[in-house]
Amino acid sequence: MKIESKIYLLIASMIILLSLYLYQQKVEKEYQKELKRYELFQQNASKFISLRKSRENSQRVLNHILKIFNPSLHSKKANFHKIVFKDLNKKEFSRLMGILINSTIYIKKIDIKKIKNKIVLGLEVGL
Amino acid sequence: MKLNFFITKNFNQNIDKKSNLILSPEFYWVKKITLDVRFTSEVKNMAESIFDGTLPKGDFDYKVFKLSKREYILAAYDMKSINLELQKLNIARKFIDKIYLAQSEFSQEGLSVFLDDDFGITFSEGIVLYAPRVFLKKSPYMQEVLKNKKLSSQYIYSSRFSGVKFYDKWLNFLLLVFVLCSFISLVDILKLKKNINFLEKTKSDTISKNSLPKSSFELKSLLDESERYEKTSVDIKNSLDYVSRFPLKKGEYFTYLRFQNNKIVCMLKFKNRQRRELFQKYISKNRKSTIKIELKR
């Protein structure tokens, strides 16, 4: 091969190598970015999955409360349940409060009044 | 524009500018061959064996000219001996730009050129011949021909690449290194691309498997919202828990408790004033939550 052809080939291969190197850097950056995005996604996804589980759990607890304590009023608007228990005795009230405090149910509003010997409990809860 | 000179072994002009030299057939050997090969490079590879035994001792390079489909002209030249001859003719190396063979520059059928009063060149049956003038038909002189001569790209030496030959092995080595590096880089790029695709696929698989929101933005905003709820909920529950842990005596009870405006307001029936103050003190020490507890009269 002619020496000049070799030199041209060398220059061409240098240009190709440089272009490949620059492109490799670009892809490497892209990969690092994608990796970070992926890790963040995985983190959020596992949080979301556990959140969904806790919501399912909250739903179960709420169903249990509604079944056992039989509220006087119950309405649902969007994700929030408005519940009123009018005739709770002290024992029922303590049990209900224990369940609510130890559950994952979100308490938005709470209103407790004692009328004569009965306790009135108004709740607005979310899952 | 560079000057062109036709060099014979009797050349006696003074060259003091960068010029192109065309060597007369005295400086090289030619052979006409018929071979059933397609490319000149194949002929070049066989050149050494074709000239075997016909050349004097020396370090020869070869040039191949294709005449027709199977006919080739092979030229053999020894750059070292050419350089020595040029030195003898007082042609300084610094004034040489390119060196050509007459074979490549005067290959027109029937062409004859007079060099001086005794000799000339002619192209006959594919070969440029150096011959006595008496054998040639009336022809123009070389000086006139060279004035308008456009030279080919088939030079055998170029000052631009002089000295580079010394580094030929290094050139080969560098070429190999560059090709290898390019290959490694290419493999790396392909690997990275594959990894990116793998991440994307795993992500979309996780989304479809767990029925997650499709965009990360949506997922993040849902999480932020629920985290906000979670924090408030835990605060309320902690405050309620704290309030309910106050040891009430017989006849003492809550008459009212309400969570509003980010604080818990409560009313209690106490036995005496000291008990009320004790409760007041108790709620002021609440460290379990950021929600304030207020006792209403």
Side-chain angles (χ1 to χ4, degrees):
Chain A
M1 195 189 279
K2 260 186 177 180
I3 201 89
E4 51 265 52
S5 313
K6 237 177 231 181
I7 290 171
Y8 292 140
L9 203 64
L10 193 75
I11 294 167
S13 60
M14 238 161 82
I15 293 168
I16 291 169
L17 179 63
L18 189 73
S19 322
L20 277 172
Y21 174 75
L22 291 174
Y23 185 61
Q24 188 190 352
Q25 293 299 309
K26 195 185 150 201
V27 177
E28 175 80 45
K29 264 187 197 168
E30 200 182 311
Y31 172 68
Q32 291 300 339
K33 216 167 140 184
E34 193 61 40
L35 192 67
K36 266 187 193 169
R37 222 182 287 160
Y38 176 75
E39 281 169 357
L40 190 72
F41 166 78
Q42 281 293 349
Q43 235 173 33
N44 288 342
S46 61
K47 270 187 198 170
F48 188 80
I49 291 164
S50 73
L51 177 80
R52 192 157 52 193
K53 269 186 188 166
S54 101
R55 276 187 182 171
E56 281 165 12
N57 193 38
S58 302
Q59 181 68 61
R60 237 186 345 262
V61 173
L62 185 68
N63 289 344
H64 178 74
I65 289 171
L66 294 174
K67 198 176 162 191
I68 302 292
F69 297 97
N70 196 22
S72 313
L73 289 167
H74 175 215
S75 65
K76 193 188 168 196
K77 201 176 181 187
N79 283 328
F80 291 100
H81 294 256
K82 279 190 174 176
I83 311 164
V84 181
F85 301 90
K86 278 185 178 167
D87 300 317
L88 290 172
N89 58 36
K90 205 178 163 188
K91 204 177 165 187
E92 283 173 329
F93 173 75
S94 304
R95 199 174 151 205
L96 182 55
M97 284 308 286
I99 294 171
L100 277 175
I101 287 169
N102 293 312
S103 73
T104 49
I105 293 173
Y106 164 56
I107 302 171
K108 195 183 176 188
K109 280 181 188 167
I110 186 163
D111 196 349
I112 306 166
K113 276 176 199 157
K114 195 175 179 195
I115 302 167
K116 292 177 185 170
N117 278 332
K118 291 288 175 188
I119 300 167
V120 178
L121 172 64
L123 284 173
E124 192 172 339
V125 294
L127 298 177
Chain B
M1 195 180 158
K2 288 182 184 77
L3 293 170
N4 300 328
F5 289 98
F6 192 86
I7 311 293
T8 63
K9 290 198 174 172
N10 304 318
F11 184 78
N12 56 8
Q13 288 180 56
N14 185 32
I15 299 178
D16 54 5
K17 276 181 187 164
K18 204 94 169 156
S19 311
N20 295 318
L21 309 183
I22 304 165
L23 301 179
S24 87
E26 299 159 282
F27 291 90
Y28 60 90
W29 287 257
V30 287
K31 233 179 192 186
K32 188 176 175 180
I33 53 160
T34 307
L35 274 176
D36 197 12
V37 291
R38 233 176 123 188
F39 302 106
T40 52
S41 57
E42 291 173 79
V43 182
K44 200 172 178 178
N45 289 338
M46 292 186 270
E48 203 172 339
S49 55
I50 291 168
F51 276 105
D52 193 27
T54 56
L55 296 174
K57 271 192 176 177
D59 183 15
F60 284 92
D61 286 319
Y62 304 93
K63 207 149 182 76
V64 183
F65 305 97
K66 195 170 187 171
L67 281 182
S68 62
K69 203 178 174 186
R70 288 177 188 176
E71 276 189 320
Y72 298 92
I73 297 290
L74 264 166
Y77 57 93
D78 180 356
M79 250 351 260
K80 271 185 196 164
S81 69
I82 288 171
N83 282 334
L84 283 173
E85 292 286 348
L86 294 176
Q87 268 177 25
K88 276 186 209 168
L89 296 171
N90 287 325
I91 300 171
R93 205 182 169 85
K94 62 179 176 181
F95 296 128
I96 303 172
D97 185 39
K98 283 178 183 148
I99 299 177
Y100 297 83
L101 300 179
Q103 182 65 37
S104 63
E105 306 312 304
F106 295 98
S107 53
Q108 279 170 274
E109 197 56 54
L111 176 90
S112 297
V113 184
F114 289 160
L115 297 174
D116 49 39
D117 294 339
D118 302 317
F119 291 96
I121 57 161
T122 184
F123 186 79
S124 175
E125 293 182 22
I127 299 173
V128 176
L129 300 166
Y130 182 64
R133 205 175 130 160
V134 285
F135 295 119
L136 308 177
K137 61 179 183 185
K138 195 173 185 291
S139 308
Y141 273 90
M142 184 57 86
Q143 285 94 326
E144 291 166 38
V145 174
L146 288 179
K147 269 182 197 165
N148 304 314
K149 180 80 181 160
K150 207 177 167 196
L151 299 176
S152 72
S153 61
Q154 304 223 29
Y155 49 86
I156 58 166
Y157 166 85
S158 170
S159 59
R160 228 189 316 166
F161 301 109
S162 65
V164 175
K165 200 157 188 168
F166 178 74
Y167 300 106
D168 198 27
K169 277 185 183 170
W170 282 105
L171 277 179
N172 288 342
F173 174 72
L174 276 175
L175 250 173
L176 192 75
V177 170
F178 284 169
V179 170
L180 266 173
C181 289
S182 301
F183 180 72
I184 292 167
S185 183
L186 198 70
V187 170
D188 210 29
I189 289 169
L190 291 175
K191 237 160 102 179
L192 286 169
K193 284 267 179 197
K194 202 179 156 195
N195 287 349
I196 292 173
N197 286 342
F198 174 75
L199 289 180
E200 278 169 1
K201 199 182 169 295
T202 320
K203 199 170 154 182
S204 66
D205 282 354
T206 316
I207 289 173
S208 59
K209 195 179 160 192
N210 298 296
S211 322
L212 299 175
K214 278 186 180 164
S215 75
S216 297
F217 180 75
E218 210 178 329
L219 183 66
K220 184 85 177 63
S221 70
L222 274 169
L223 276 174
D224 286 348
E225 195 189 345
S226 66
E227 271 172 11
R228 222 170 31 246
Y229 278 167
E230 179 81 16
K231 197 180 172 296
T232 325
S233 184
V234 168
D235 265 356
I236 297 168
K237 284 171 185 172
N238 284 341
S239 295
L240 284 173
D241 187 45
Y242 187 76
V243 170
S244 65
R245 281 178 194 278
F246 182 75
L248 292 172
K249 287 194 171 172
K250 207 174 174 182
E252 289 179 338
Y253 51 85
F254 279 87
T255 52
Y256 175 88
L257 188 141
R258 190 175 200 181
F259 171 68
Q260 61 180 29
N261 302 330
N262 214 29
K263 66 179 176 187
I264 289 177
V265 181
C266 54
M267 280 166 79
L268 278 99
K269 177 127 180 79
F270 291 104
K271 274 193 158 186
N272 51 44
R273 211 176 145 187
Q274 282 84 2
R275 290 286 296 159
R276 168 176 280 278
E277 277 164 9
L278 195 68
F279 182 76
Q280 192 79 56
K281 215 172 165 185
Y282 175 77
I283 55 174
S284 67
K285 282 180 185 170
N286 180 18
R287 300 280 178 270
K288 281 175 88 180
S289 150
T290 52
I291 291 173
K292 213 178 153 190
I293 306 168
E294 202 180 287
L295 177 64
K296 218 173 164 186
R297 282 193 179 271

